[in-house]
């Protein structure tokens, strides 16, 4: 396996990502758009999720495809970002046909970034505007770190961010991950700059420091803030032709990548979840083993994307925590 040409989720053909942010508020939105509707699924493992339209992603529901997936800051306020993307999609003639109406399907999830030093005294919820701007900006290249929904992300001891990574399998299938790292815990080991995801790094993509030389597991894990002030949300995507049930299994397997990269993860105070997206361009040659390899690749990409999101974070006025580069670079 090797990274795709961009080492981004947009190495999956037919997918684009758009970012929009407000650096005064320290927040933003990130959307994954398909050139055409795509199969989507979700799996939630955190104890405090914030979501929109995730019930319809179950395999037994009528709608099997979506137009976009939205990741946003803002806690419950941020759920409005998907409405902005839906308005933009409707204006483009996109959506699920119901009679003579088009209804864009945009499931979404949010992170809590309301105590990160930004100005939160807005007179009107900004997330619908940010969601529409993210959709309009969607392309195959996009910024990592302090961008989009990762703009105001923080973790236990560092600034968080938006991360992405990809891999091409021997079967020819491409898998990618996109993540907003706003975790309760750490992504580095103890007081070091070594990432928990270091064993899975490809090509020095987050510093090439390698694994930490040691770790005292008897120490209590570090964590930030109070209850409800965290969450890591992600999307894993592939060009494989998957059913919604198979996509759900890929999302479930991808959580292993989150657990490898964040210590601790999936806590009662995190709303950790993973969406899956499948464009259907490449058939599975072996439904059993190809599906296994897709799940493994999704976990691999997600662990690397988590590290890349923190690695690429950049400083801004009023930040409550340093970036990885400022502390260890």
């Amino acid at each position: 396996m090797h990274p795709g040409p961009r080492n981004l989720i947009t190495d999956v053909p037919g997918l684009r990502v758009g970012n929009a942010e407000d650096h005064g508020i320290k927040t933003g939105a990130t959307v994954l758009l398909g050139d055409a509707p795509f199969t989507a699924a979700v799996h939630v493992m955190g104890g405090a999720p914030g979501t929109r339209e995730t019930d319809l992603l179950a395999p037994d529901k009528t709608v099997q495809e979506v137009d976009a997936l939205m990741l946003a800051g803002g806690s419950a306020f941020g759920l409005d970002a998907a409405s902005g993307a839906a308005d933009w999609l409707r204006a483009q003639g996109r959506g699920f046909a119901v009679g003579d109406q088009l209804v864009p399907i945009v499931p979404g999830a949010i992170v809590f970034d309301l105590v990160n030093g930004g100005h939160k005294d807005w007179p009107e919820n900004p997330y619908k505007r940010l969601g529409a701007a993210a959709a309009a900006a969607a392309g195959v290249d996009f910024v990592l770190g302090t961008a989009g929904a990762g703009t105001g992300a923080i973790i236990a001891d560092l600034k968080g961010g938006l991360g992405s990574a990809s891999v091409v399998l021997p079967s020819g299938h491409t898998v990618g991950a996109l993540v907003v790292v706003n975790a309760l815990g750490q992504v580095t080991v103890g007081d070091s700059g070594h990432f928990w995801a270091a064993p899975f790094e490809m090509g020095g993509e987050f510093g090439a420091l390698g694994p930490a030389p040691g770790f005292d597991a008897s120490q209590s894990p570090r964590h930030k803030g109070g209850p409800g002030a965290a969450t890591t949300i992600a999307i894993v995507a592939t060009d494989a032709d998957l059913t919604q049930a198979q996509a759900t299994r890929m999302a479930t397997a991808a959580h292993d990548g989150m657990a490898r990269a964040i210590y601790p993860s999936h806590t009662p105070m995190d709303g950790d979840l993973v969406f899956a997206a499948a464009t259907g361009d490449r058939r599975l040659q072996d439904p059993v083993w190809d599906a296994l390899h897709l799940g493994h690749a999704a976990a691999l990409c997600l662990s690397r994307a988590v590290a890349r999101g923190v690695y690429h974070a950049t400083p801004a006025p009023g930040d409550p925590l340093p970036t990885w580069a400022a502390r260890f670079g």
Side-chain angles (χ1 to χ4, degrees):
M1 291 189 290
H2 57 86
R6 299 180 185 86
N7 200 16
L8 298 172
I9 196 171
T10 48
D11 286 326
V12 177
L15 295 181
R16 294 171 286 135
V17 168
N19 285 330
E21 52 277 317
D22 186 315
H23 290 287
I25 300 175
K26 288 186 182 292
T27 195
T30 297
V31 66
L32 180 77
L33 287 179
D35 291 343
F38 53 86
T39 300
V42 68
H43 190 259
V44 181
M45 287 191 69
T51 60
R52 163 184 157 133
E53 290 193 311
T54 51
D55 283 354
L56 62 78
L57 299 181
D60 63 327
K61 299 302 186 288
T62 299
V63 175
Q64 298 288 297
E65 295 181 322
V66 307
D67 296 288
L69 294 168
M70 177 65 71
L71 308 177
S75 189
F77 298 107
L79 294 175
D80 228 18
S83 296
D87 284 352
W88 185 88
L89 284 160
R90 180 182 169 97
Q92 310 305 308
R94 294 280 301 272
F96 184 74
V98 184
D100 63 351
Q101 295 296 310
L102 292 175
V103 183
I105 306 299
V106 187
I110 48 84
V111 300
F112 183 97
D113 61 0
L114 299 180
V115 290
N116 60 6
H119 304 292
K120 304 301 192 291
D121 55 346
W122 58 69
E124 182 178 353
N125 185 327
Y127 289 96
K128 190 172 184 180
R129 166 178 57 82
L130 289 169
V140 293
D141 295 306
F142 58 96
V143 176
L144 301 183
T146 306
T151 298
I154 56 175
I155 55 177
D157 55 348
L158 294 170
K159 195 167 181 177
L162 181 74
S164 190
S166 71
V167 72
V168 180
L169 280 69
S171 64
H173 294 101
T174 299
V175 174
L178 180 70
V179 62
V180 181
V181 189
N182 188 60
L184 185 82
Q186 292 180 277
V187 304
T188 52
V189 182
D191 292 322
S192 78
H194 296 269
F195 287 96
W196 282 104
F200 312 104
E201 186 175 13
M202 292 185 174
E205 61 194 338
F206 43 86
L209 295 185
F215 173 66
D216 184 358
S218 67
Q219 295 183 350
S220 297
R222 295 180 187 174
H223 57 81
K224 73 175 185 186
T231 283
T232 298
I233 52 178
I235 304 168
V236 292
T238 181
D239 55 359
D241 185 7
L242 301 183
T243 66
Q244 205 165 40
Q246 290 170 320
T248 301
R249 179 48 48 187
M250 186 174 76
T252 304
H255 275 283
D256 289 351
M258 195 180 294
R260 294 168 192 164
I262 301 170
Y263 182 84
S265 62
H266 304 130
T267 75
M269 283 74 82
D270 286 289
D272 297 344
L273 67 77
V274 179
F275 289 111
T279 63
D281 290 338
R282 283 182 172 267
R283 295 182 60 186
L284 300 182
Q285 298 303 311
D286 185 325
V288 175
W289 289 103
D290 282 352
L292 182 154
H293 293 142
L294 289 171
H296 167 67
L300 173 64
C301 286
L302 184 49
S303 63
R304 295 162 51 220
V306 167
R308 295 190 81 205
V310 174
Y311 178 75
H312 285 286
T314 53
D319 285 347
L321 290 169
T323 64
W324 183 92
R327 186 172 174 188
F328 302 113

